[in-house]
Amino acid sequence: MILAQEEHRDADAIAYAGKASHRLDEFLRLGDATDSERIQISSEYGNMALAHLNMHMYAEAVPYAQRTAEVIRPIASAQYLVAQGLSLLASALRYQGNLEGALQAIQEARRFPSRRCIRIPPRACWMSMEYSCATA
């Protein structure tokens, strides 16, 4: 999906994101995802949000950014990753002109710990420069 978006094949990127999102939602509905799987799934939703932001599809990025944070919230040891999803959400809302919503999202993101780069799985480090790696 990210490759399609980078190659300006937006229709393909949108289709891949929709298909992946549907599959991830189905997997999560099984109710037995491990913490490691939830971290990876959160990363995938983050990639979907980021791809939509890059395509200037801000309204479509919002639900993916929300899922990024939502999927990771139940994991006590990974709360710092919630900030990444909330940062994506704030960006999408800001680009839409929803400054109040963006402010709320970024203020919530700032309440989470931010110095955990070493514990981020490699593929989950998609937005870590802002919240994790830059401060480590």
Side-chain angles (χ1 to χ4, degrees):
M1 174 208 45
I2 290 289
L3 293 176
Q5 180 266 310
E6 285 292 320
E7 294 172 355
H8 305 288
R9 295 184 294 119
D10 293 354
D12 288 339
I14 293 164
Y16 296 148
K19 190 176 199 179
S21 176
H22 176 72
R23 288 182 176 171
L24 293 173
D25 287 343
E26 290 295 316
F27 180 78
L28 288 170
R29 275 191 210 102
L30 296 174
D32 59 353
T34 66
D35 287 356
S36 177
E37 289 167 337
R38 292 180 81 82
I39 289 170
Q40 183 62 41
I41 289 168
S42 177
S43 173
E44 298 301 331
Y45 281 119
N47 284 336
M48 292 173 210
L50 187 57
H52 282 80
L53 285 172
N54 290 342
M55 292 185 286
H56 306 280
M57 300 177 69
Y58 309 124
E60 292 82 356
V62 168
Y64 292 122
Q66 290 169 329
R67 287 293 281 156
T68 301
E70 177 184 308
V71 165
I72 209 75
R73 280 187 196 270
I75 304 172
S77 64
Q79 291 299 291
Y80 62 98
L81 293 172
V82 175
Q84 294 173 354
L86 292 171
S87 175
L88 286 169
L89 178 60
S91 292
L93 294 172
R94 180 175 53 91
Y95 289 135
Q96 290 182 82
N98 182 349
L99 300 182
E100 184 60 35
L103 178 62
Q104 289 174 358
I106 206 65
Q107 285 176 333
E108 183 179 355
R110 294 190 70 190
R111 288 194 282 268
F112 289 91
S114 62
R115 300 180 64 89
R116 302 266 184 148
C117 183
I118 294 171
R119 301 184 83 184
I120 297 175
R123 293 214 51 218
C125 206
W126 45 265
M127 286 290 290
S128 61
M129 288 198 300
E130 183 170 351
Y131 282 102
S132 299
C133 294
T135 59

